[in-house]
Amino acid sequence: DGGITQSPKYLFRKEGQNVTLSCEQNLNHDAMYWYRQDPGQGLRLIYYSQIVNDFQKGDIAEGYSVSREKKESFPLTVTSAQKNPTAFYLCASTYLGMQFFGPGTRLTVL
Amino acid sequence: QKEVEQDPGPLSVPEGAIVSLNCTYSNSAFQYFMWYRQYSRKGPELLMYTYSSGNKEDGRFTAQVDKSSKYISLFIRDSQPSDSATYLCAMSSSGGSYIPTFGRGTSLIVHP
């Protein structure tokens, strides 16, 4: 089955910790994206990558970092510099203007 | 003015009703128009995709794009309780590297 997988489904972070969210796709799409979704605020773009070894900041990149070493993988690290990381995180990929989403990771700060 | 405007609702309808969901936008460069359905705590699911203007039908769903009015619609016929979800519109252009601009979503409740 082709698609986007995200892990873990739920993640708990203590204050001051860095955590990494996994995103893998087997759709052979070049472009991948990370969004944050908060209640009542819609989707906000964190980072995107249109090709391996290259990525760009989105609207709310502060406190986050990414890497794109393989076409299939686009992990997101939420660093301790992100002051309010509790949110639902969505990974996506795009083909010919159509964007497809993974199932999401819910991150909670304890 | 936001680039994409979408009424957050909630929109509550009885089972079997025809539902109309709408978005307006300001960027005339948008060429690709999408509708997503998102259930609580799940990722958005692509429902409809339209390039440029016109109508597209898929089962109970019809998407319409009116570029002259900068207005897109999603119609759901014979609505079911399982249609209860948040519906997101999104649009993009090749000039914007296909990065979609999303509406905030409309919450739909279909009651039996």
Side-chain angles (χ1 to χ4, degrees):
Chain A
D1 282 338
I4 301 172
T5 56
Q6 293 185 241
S7 62
K9 187 173 181 180
Y10 299 98
L11 187 57
F12 298 91
R13 191 193 94 168
K14 293 181 180 178
E15 296 274 355
Q17 273 186 337
N18 292 354
V19 291
T20 298
L21 284 59
S22 169
C23 176
E24 303 278 332
Q25 56 101 357
N26 61 3
L27 300 167
N28 201 34
H29 292 171
D30 287 317
M32 297 185 73
Y33 307 76
W34 274 105
Y35 292 92
R36 170 180 172 143
Q37 189 174 38
D38 297 279
Q41 293 207 39
L43 291 166
R44 292 186 287 171
L45 182 63
I46 304 172
Y47 268 99
Y48 65 99
S49 168
Q50 297 192 309
I51 197 168
V52 174
N53 292 323
D54 187 51
F55 48 83
Q56 307 295 328
K57 292 181 179 180
D59 300 319
I60 56 164
E62 185 175 351
Y64 300 97
S65 66
V66 294
S67 62
R68 187 86 186 277
E69 297 176 3
K70 298 186 301 181
K71 187 175 185 177
E72 303 80 18
S73 180
F74 191 40
L76 173 74
T77 297
V78 184
T79 75
S80 57
Q82 171 49 239
K83 298 306 178 191
N84 184 22
T86 294
F88 190 47
Y89 290 86
L90 288 159
C91 179
S93 66
T94 296
Y95 177 70
L96 295 180
M98 289 182 285
Q99 190 159 76
F100 302 90
F101 286 87
T105 292
R106 185 163 299 276
L107 173 63
T108 303
V109 173
L110 301 174
Chain B
Q1 181 189 11
K2 292 188 191 303
E3 210 167 7
V4 177
E5 299 273 7
Q6 185 176 11
D7 188 331
L11 177 62
S12 182
V13 301
E15 183 175 355
I18 296 174
V19 175
S20 172
L21 303 166
N22 310 293
C23 288
T24 59
Y25 62 94
S26 57
N27 187 347
S28 58
F30 287 143
Q31 305 162 286
Y32 305 92
F33 302 91
M34 292 155 281
W35 285 97
Y36 292 86
R37 177 175 62 196
Q38 185 177 23
Y39 293 113
S40 181
R41 301 177 186 269
K42 304 289 186 185
E45 171 194 3
L46 181 62
L47 272 181
M48 301 291 282
Y49 168 74
T50 309
Y51 173 71
S52 192
S53 282
N55 294 359
K56 186 172 184 178
E57 188 173 323
D58 184 2
R60 296 184 296 111
F61 299 91
T62 299
Q64 287 185 351
V65 175
D66 182 349
K67 291 190 73 178
S68 62
S69 301
K70 298 191 181 67
Y71 188 88
I72 69 170
S73 301
L74 177 71
F75 297 96
I76 307 174
R77 291 183 298 280
D78 187 25
S79 56
Q80 303 295 309
S82 59
D83 295 326
S84 298
T86 296
Y87 290 80
L88 300 160
C89 65
M91 43 205 80
S92 66
S93 67
S94 57
S97 301
Y98 300 106
I99 299 173
T101 299
F102 287 87
R104 289 194 171 189
T106 299
S107 175
L108 172 66
I109 301 167
V110 182
H111 51 87

